[in-house]
Amino acid sequence: MTTLTLTPGSVTLADLARVFRDGAAVRLDPSCHPAMIEAQSRIEAAANGSAAVYGVNTGFGKLASVKIASKDTATLQRNLILSHCCGVGDPIPRGHARLMMALKLLSLGRGASGVRLELVDLIEAMLARGVTPLIPVQGSVGASGDLAPLAHMAAVMMGHAEAEYKGETLPGAEALKRAGLTPIVLGAKEGLALINGTQFSTAFALAGLFGAWRAMTSALVTSALSTDAIMGSTAPLQPEIHTLRGHAGQIDAAACMRALLEGSVIRESHREGDTRVQDPYCIRCQPQVTGAAMDVLRMAARTLEIEANAATDNPLVLVGADLIVSGGNFHAEPVGFAADMIALAVAEIGAIAQRRIALIVDPVLSHDLPPFLTPNPGLNSGYMIAEVTTAALMSENKHLANPCVTDSTPTSANQEDHVSMAAHGAVRLGRMVANLERILGVELLCAAQGIEFRAPLTTSGPLARVLAVLRKSVATLGEDRYLAPDLEQAATLVRDGSVVASAGVAMPELSA
């Protein structure tokens, strides 16, 4: 297993993608250890002092006014974790849980949380040896951090709850034992440091972002295929049009589509004598729509990269100012906004793709393609219901794209009276991206079928390579057949990056 050494405060999206997609383990750069040790010494002193310091020698939330004796420090932290293990629902995917753990390491590594190095060592060892806490998907409102999900992680570290190890679901203590690890007894503030924070929401938002970006680049390819299938014009891709407007995403999208369509014989065949003056918006305005979504995803990416490097628990040890201050960095409002932005982009990429599919299967609009792309319409229905399926998925994504961050509700006896709902906003992204991948998979099938009907005219070299990859696993549709496996295979080619890779054209970068 690859192990990444990360420096808190300067970790990139590419680093985080490796943790999520490749399953890389994580260790903190030792250069962050001195600051962590110094902060921990301040917490230890506060725990043994007389002044009330929230979460160190007091109760939590509405119970912050209750003073806790120093002899009860370990019990306080133990009770905090076990009482907060109130997550419900299915366990989250392993990759999301590991990314959440890596994000927690980065937050602790900023040197403001006051935890011992032993705590960090245990999280690093769990990642390296494959001990993954089972984290229920529901229970966070993104207020005082992702309390319930992170508590389930912390409970495993203490030898409670459940974890997955080598394919088995085991009690936390047993999973640690089999991996050669020992449960930890939490010290002053350590339980609070583990469960205060936005790492659950941020992990899901990042996963949604990575999936959305890959789908968006696939949409550039499928939209180029659709343009050629309906013998659309490439005039709207003229670079000066997009430079005059100036939006980076629009400029990038148009440039990519020009490269994808360069050399198409289909395109050259109708430059002269085409009675159509303009294509419908779903063809003509692709750079403007997909490009705008690209810009939104990049804005969300910047927010999430900052959040991934942030100290988000409470209170924070400000060594330079010689203070331990109770604040609100655990409030996941930035993540909630980012998740809502990603959701909007995903919904719009799918909405315009669905209109392209509807265009291709409609003989009135497809420029002489057969109805529903079947060579024998009437006896055969072709891609009629595949298009209906994409309409259902598009509609579902529109509903799911409604903002979550505005849906605050008071919790914890009105102490936490405004919450972000970032977890809701981030978790739904997985379903939305899966819907989008299936929409684009159907577009891939329909556009490929349309291009093949243009024979002997041929498409461009990049798009021909995409068609060749598709036809290795999905045959051209002649007589009607059981279509569900075709749709899923095409979606897989979108999901695993094959659509983009096979085109061989430089794609826009997320960090641009």
Side-chain angles (χ1 to χ4, degrees), residues 21 107 127 153 200 241 325:
R21 285 209 170 111
S107 181
L127 286 169
M153 177 196 75
F200 175 88
I241 294 175
V325 181

Side-chain angles (χ1 to χ4, degrees), residues 248-273:
Q250 181 177 326
I251 292 168
D252 289 349
C256 183
M257 290 186 66
R258 286 197 302 273
L260 287 163
L261 285 158
E262 180 66 32
S264 168
V265 176
I266 295 174
R267 173 60 185 127
E268 295 307 316
S269 72
H270 64 98
R271 283 191 184 274
E272 303 294 333

Side-chain angles (χ1 to χ4, degrees), residues 2-282:
T2 302
T3 299
L4 300 179
T5 299
L6 301 180
T7 302
S10 60
V11 172
T12 66
L13 291 171
D15 295 327
L16 298 169
R18 288 185 64 188
V19 175
F20 178 64
R21 285 209 170 111
D22 302 338
V26 170
R27 65 185 295 268
L28 296 181
D29 191 309
S31 64
C32 70
H33 289 177
M36 295 176 65
I37 292 169
E38 179 60 29
Q40 195 274 324
S41 70
R42 305 296 178 95
I43 290 294
E44 190 66 27
N48 294 314
S50 58
V53 179
Y54 174 71
V56 177
N57 55 14
T58 74
F60 307 102
K62 200 77 168 182
L63 303 176
S65 60
V66 179
K67 189 75 161 53
I68 306 298
S70 59
K71 67 181 178 62
D72 293 324
T73 294
T75 302
L76 176 69
Q77 299 301 312
R78 173 190 177 277
N79 290 348
L80 172 70
I81 298 303
L82 297 183
S83 69
H84 282 55
C85 285
C86 293
V88 297
D90 295 331
I92 68 175
R94 185 171 185 269
H96 291 67
R98 288 178 60 84
L99 179 57
M100 184 186 83
M101 294 168 71
L103 292 170
K104 177 53 72 175
L105 277 176
L106 293 176
S107 181
L108 300 176
R110 291 301 298 267
S113 299
V115 302
R116 293 168 295 160
L117 293 184
E118 291 91 331
L119 193 77
V120 166
D121 291 342
L122 180 56
I123 299 175
E124 291 178 346
M126 289 168 67
L127 286 169
R129 302 186 194 186
V131 178
T132 307
L134 294 188
I135 313 294
V137 71
Q138 294 170 287
S140 175
V141 296
S144 190
D146 293 313
L147 295 171
L150 288 167
H152 283 269
M153 177 196 75
V156 172
M157 298 171 65
M158 297 162 53
H160 297 275
E162 290 183 312
E164 183 270 329
Y165 180 66
K166 293 187 175 180
E168 287 189 70
T169 296
L170 302 166
E174 180 64 19
L176 292 175
K177 179 181 178 181
R178 292 194 191 183
L181 301 174
T182 303
I184 195 168
V185 176
L186 298 178
K189 190 190 173 278
E190 289 183 336
L192 194 60
L194 286 171
I195 68 171
N196 265 185
T198 66
Q199 287 75 39
F200 175 88
S201 297
T202 304
F204 270 88
L206 283 167
L209 173 69
F210 298 148
W213 190 263
R214 177 169 283 181
M216 183 279 300
T217 55
S218 295
L220 293 174
V221 178
T222 59
S223 64
L225 284 163
S226 293
T227 299
D228 237 11
I230 63 104
M231 301 185 85
S233 174
T234 56
L237 301 178
Q238 189 73 18
E240 291 86 352
I241 294 175
H242 308 287
T243 302
L244 281 168
R245 198 174 198 188
H247 293 296
Q250 181 177 326
I251 292 168
D252 289 349
C256 183
M257 290 186 66
R258 286 197 302 273
L260 287 163
L261 285 158
E262 180 66 32
S264 168
V265 176
I266 295 174
R267 173 60 185 127
E268 295 307 316
S269 72
H270 64 98
R271 283 191 184 274
E272 303 294 333
D274 194 332
T275 58
R276 297 169 300 170
V277 177
Q278 292 181 329
D279 293 316
Y281 284 5
C282 67

